[in-house]
Amino acid sequence: MIINEKRHVVGRVLRASTMGFDCGTRSSKIDDKHTFGSFVKVPITDDEAVIAVGLIHAIRIDDDALARELVMASVVDNVALMDQRENRMVPVEIGVINIGYRFNGVMVQSLPPRPPLSLSEVELCTADEVYEFTQRTDFFRLVLNAKEVPSDELIAAALNYACYAYPDDERYQFRVNSGRKLAMLLSNDLKRLSHVLALIKP
Amino acid sequence: MSLEFTKVMDQVQSFGRYLKHRGESASQRLLRAIEAFYACTDLDAIHQRIDLVRKSSVSGYRGAAPAPRPYDELICGVGEAPPIPTEGTIIAADGSQIFPDTHSPALYYLINIGIFTYFHGANRVPHQFTYPELYYSEKMLLDRDGRLITNQTINARRSLAEMQWLAKSAWENRAEAKPMITLHDGGLLKFFGNADIEGGGDIEREYMESLQKLSDSGAILAGYLDVPRSTYIISLLHLLNLQPDQINDAILRTNGEFEGLNDAMLLAHVLAPGERSAVMTQNSPQNKEYRDRSGADFEIGFFYINVAAGGRPIIIRVDIPMWVARDKAAVRALHALILAQCAIQGRRSYPYALTRADELAYVSSIEKQQMDELIRVNMLQNALEPESSSKLQSKSLARGERTQFRLH
């Protein structure tokens, strides 16, 4: 799992709203940066004073008629495979839901004031940013109430991802605190709660 | 209003019945043609018959002829699928165009060529290039009488550009692994002499120069024709069926008892999957012109391949210049690599390199609109008023998408 200080570009914004955005990259570029539940950031102003923070909730790879035909061949030709991945314009689309933003250095756990513009560069958050962002748990509600995303799996994946931003001696406490907050938010749905807790259990 | 299918349904059903009837009446003729085909075992007799139509006053024969001696092959013979070379280079070219549109903001046309290079047997990413060229000067847009050039002229210029880029790519890749196959989408025997084609003579001269460059590069040039409707072999069978005194232009205008059949129909019953027919040439003034103008190497020959992996035959035609036809190893490599290319796409037996070259070259109608928009913006930047067509504007109003009422 990549979560360090180096810049890791996930893709560029294709379409966006204040609720979230889709970004795209080439299929040959897909790697550890494109992980379900990763924390990503994207500037929403030119001077980067305001940055939206989101979670990757979906990674989609579209097909086309030629790709479908290649799959039907008895043996997939290796050169054609490289051609598909390196040359053909088959973008990978990454779906992100917004869970907060940073305004003048202050992290806010709510929807950002504006969506990012098309082609803005989306990066992975650094370990420090993930650590700082997850000091509060207000974003849990945003994720759990999000429509059209697998919210239970997403919050669990995000918490498991965030654990790596914590020093070893703080990880356990982070999981316990997160579990407590989830228990509070899902107190009216015990089946769901037990499923999410099972997913974040170390 | 769009097409009312209820009004056309009866006509489609009638069309289907017509096709069925045509197929039934062709089956008897096809049996006779297969019989006549397998009787073509005497190459000397066939050469004599071809000499007769070439030397006499008869000029209407447009059928097949055996390749020149000693490279001729038994007409009814078949070539098995050869072993696939361990390495090779396949360069495919295709082109697309935007025709001039009098409703555009300004008159122009565009030719886009796609070149795709596939390194067979090597673990290398294929190379791909596109070469778009915009033409807007009066010299390129108008004919000698000041009228807008025809679409046939643009098609001819596109064919020339395809061959020129293919030749250039072959030359640049001449150090790559051999055999080097250069694939052109379509037949190699082009007819640029049509009165509708502006500057046809120059186009033909440059086309022949490209063929020369391909030959100099050591490339195995091939024109690939999917779904060929040619009747070269059928015409030959008709010619061989005639008595010498029956041979005249009027009789040769049709294919007699084999009329309505084509070579693919015949060879579908002859060629097993992977097999090819004999290499032959087409007897035509155009082919003679190629030979007379540039030499025997540039006469165009052809053979057919059944590229199906099994089941229903898929007969395609491959055009080759004689410099390729004379080289048995080159024909074998071409045959094998076409089969290898056709196997890549599973159910679609079509060369992968040509599919990709077409994808690279294709200019969609949306891209045409975007091109118009770019030109419009550029004209405004240069303080020019783009021409607007009321006809086109009103059409797009009527054809436009509907907007739904939504409660926000």
Side-chain angles (χ1 to χ4, degrees):
Chain A
M1 190 158 301
I2 296 171
I3 184 163
N4 55 29
E5 297 310 312
K6 207 178 142 196
R7 263 186 101 226
H8 291 289
V9 177
V10 173
R12 287 183 181 274
V13 173
L14 296 170
R15 58 192 84 85
S17 77
T18 47
M19 304 295 287
F21 55 89
D22 284 342
C23 62
T25 187
R26 292 171 70 136
S27 53
S28 59
K29 305 270 185 200
I30 191 162
D31 58 15
D32 283 358
K33 297 188 290 290
H34 308 91
T35 305
F36 178 71
S38 303
F39 286 70
V40 296
K41 60 182 180 182
V42 59
I44 56 176
T45 51
D46 287 342
D47 60 1
E48 304 199 359
V50 188
I51 286 172
V53 177
L55 290 177
I56 293 179
H57 70 81
I59 299 155
R60 294 179 289 266
I61 301 172
D62 285 347
D63 70 343
D64 66 0
L66 181 56
R68 281 194 291 275
E69 287 306 324
L70 291 171
V71 165
M72 294 302 289
S74 52
V75 179
V76 176
D77 182 88
N78 200 40
V79 181
L81 194 75
M82 286 192 289
D83 182 41
Q84 288 292 309
R85 292 183 178 168
E86 298 286 332
N87 286 336
R88 294 195 73 225
M89 306 284 191
V90 183
V92 175
E93 285 195 17
I94 300 127
V96 175
I97 60 161
N98 289 330
I99 54 169
Y101 60 99
R102 191 172 68 196
F103 180 69
N104 287 337
V106 179
M107 284 290 192
V108 180
Q109 299 202 344
S110 181
L111 294 178
R114 284 179 299 284
L117 293 175
S118 299
L119 302 183
S120 298
E121 219 168 48
V122 182
E123 285 178 54
L124 278 186
C125 290
T126 63
D128 286 347
E129 286 165 338
V130 175
Y131 183 85
E132 186 190 350
F133 191 84
T134 52
Q135 292 306 301
R136 293 172 55 109
T137 52
D138 300 338
F139 74 96
F140 285 19
R141 185 185 290 277
L142 266 175
V143 178
L144 291 172
N145 289 339
K147 298 279 188 290
E148 295 172 9
V149 302
S151 52
D152 296 356
E153 283 73 16
L154 182 60
I155 190 70
L159 293 174
N160 287 329
Y161 181 92
C163 274
Y164 289 94
Y166 281 75
D168 290 348
D169 58 340
E170 290 182 34
R171 274 185 197 164
Y172 182 75
Q173 196 54 47
F174 170 68
R175 284 185 193 275
V176 170
N177 292 344
S178 300
R180 282 186 183 142
K181 178 72 177 181
L182 286 168
M184 209 168 74
L185 291 171
L186 296 174
S187 58
N188 60 346
D189 191 344
L190 294 180
K191 278 187 182 168
R192 196 176 169 197
L193 174 63
S194 100
H195 174 63
V196 179
L197 291 179
L199 289 174
I200 62 166
K201 198 173 170 186
Chain B
M1 214 52 174
S2 53
L3 179 61
E4 289 188 70
F5 283 95
T6 48
K7 291 183 179 171
V8 88
M9 227 21 239
D10 284 349
Q11 296 168 62
V12 172
Q13 282 167 356
S14 161
F15 184 31
R17 284 193 296 273
Y18 164 75
L19 290 174
K20 184 180 175 218
H21 171 74
R22 204 175 66 171
E24 281 168 356
S25 71
S27 60
Q28 284 303 314
R29 280 173 285 152
L30 188 57
L31 285 176
R32 285 198 294 278
I34 294 168
E35 219 170 274
F37 178 75
Y38 281 120
C40 293
T41 52
D42 186 352
L43 266 178
D44 288 337
I46 297 169
H47 275 295
Q48 279 172 16
R49 186 53 64 93
I50 296 296
D51 287 344
L52 196 68
V53 290
R54 280 182 180 167
K55 285 173 187 165
S56 70
S57 57
V58 179
S59 59
Y61 178 63
R62 298 287 179 271
R69 287 189 175 105
Y71 309 104
D72 50 351
E73 295 178 330
L74 191 64
I75 299 296
C76 61
V78 294
E80 284 182 1
I84 296 169
T86 51
E87 57 176 9
T89 307
I90 296 136
I91 307 174
D94 204 357
S96 178
Q97 70 287 310
I98 298 176
F99 289 121
D101 181 358
T102 48
H103 301 295
S104 289
L107 267 184
Y108 74 95
Y109 75 91
L110 178 133
I111 290 176
N112 190 36
I113 304 296
I115 297 281
F116 184 79
T117 307
Y118 179 102
F119 303 102
H120 172 81
N123 215 20
R124 285 173 66 185
V125 178
H127 293 173
Q128 57 176 20
F129 297 101
T130 58
Y131 303 99
E133 191 91 46
L134 187 66
Y135 299 91
Y136 47 83
S137 68
E138 284 190 357
K139 187 183 162 204
M140 295 305 289
L141 283 168
L142 303 178
D143 64 14
R144 77 200 75 154
D145 299 321
R147 292 171 306 194
L148 185 62
I149 53 170
T150 58
N151 287 356
Q152 288 105 303
T153 301
I154 292 164
N155 286 334
R157 289 177 184 173
R158 191 203 63 224
S159 293
L160 171 63
E162 285 172 21
M163 203 50 84
Q164 285 175 325
W165 280 111
L166 199 55
K168 193 170 185 293
S169 304
W171 184 255
E172 285 167 357
N173 284 288
R174 64 191 183 284
E176 292 290 351
K178 297 283 189 303
M180 180 165 66
I181 309 288
T182 46
L183 279 180
H184 168 75
D185 185 21
L188 295 181
L189 208 51
K190 307 285 186 193
F191 185 61
F192 298 123
N194 189 319
D196 288 339
I197 297 175
E198 178 69 13
D202 289 339
I203 293 174
E204 190 153 285
R205 182 179 45 74
E206 290 181 51
Y207 181 78
M208 296 310 290
E209 284 170 7
S210 299
L211 295 192
Q212 180 68 59
K213 192 169 179 181
L214 279 157
S215 170
D216 295 344
S217 309
I220 299 171
L221 172 64
Y224 189 96
L225 288 103
D226 195 43
V227 196
R229 298 189 188 279
S230 39
T231 58
Y232 304 153
I233 299 176
I234 295 293
S235 297
L236 175 65
L237 298 180
H238 173 52
L239 175 70
L240 296 174
N241 245 8
L242 299 172
Q243 296 301 319
D245 59 341
Q246 289 179 304
I247 298 172
N248 60 53
D249 280 344
I251 292 280
L252 291 174
R253 204 162 289 142
T254 69
N255 285 327
E257 64 168 326
F258 304 130
E259 185 65 21
L261 300 179
N262 64 42
D263 295 353
M265 287 175 175
L266 170 74
L267 294 171
H269 295 270
V270 172
L271 300 177
E275 287 182 343
R276 74 162 172 90
S277 71
V279 174
M280 292 167 255
T281 63
Q282 194 216 347
N283 194 70
S284 71
Q286 191 64 18
N287 215 359
K288 184 175 181 301
E289 170 79 16
Y290 275 36
R291 190 176 58 226
D292 293 347
R293 181 190 280 213
S294 303
D297 272 356
F298 294 86
E299 185 178 3
I300 304 299
F302 68 90
F303 62 91
Y304 292 92
I305 309 180
N306 179 1
V307 293
R312 197 174 63 83
I314 302 170
I315 306 295
I316 60 100
R317 197 180 91 208
V318 182
D319 278 9
I320 48 173
M322 283 313 292
W323 88 72
V324 175
R326 276 205 290 268
D327 182 348
K328 296 287 176 199
V331 173
R332 267 199 306 276
L334 175 61
H335 181 184
L337 285 171
I338 283 179
L339 290 175
Q341 282 283 302
C342 287
I344 293 175
Q345 291 183 69
R347 295 173 303 180
R348 308 269 173 225
S349 292
Y350 189 75
Y352 181 74
L354 273 179
T355 300
R356 291 284 285 112
D358 168 79
E359 183 189 20
L360 292 169
Y362 177 64
V363 182
S364 68
S365 56
I366 293 169
E367 286 165 334
K368 199 250 174 211
Q369 285 170 19
Q370 288 167 339
M371 190 72 207
D372 282 349
E373 197 55 42
L374 261 178
I375 290 169
R376 195 171 286 120
V377 168
N378 231 282
M379 289 176 76
L380 288 170
Q381 282 172 350
N382 286 291
L384 292 166
E385 186 68 27
E387 293 167 31
S388 62
S389 157
S390 304
K391 177 183 171 183
L392 202 67
Q393 283 176 357
S394 64
K395 271 183 177 177
S396 47
L397 287 178
R399 291 174 185 171
E401 287 181 10
R402 274 62 172 161
T403 310
Q404 270 185 348
F405 169 74
R406 283 191 180 174
L407 197 61
H408 292 286

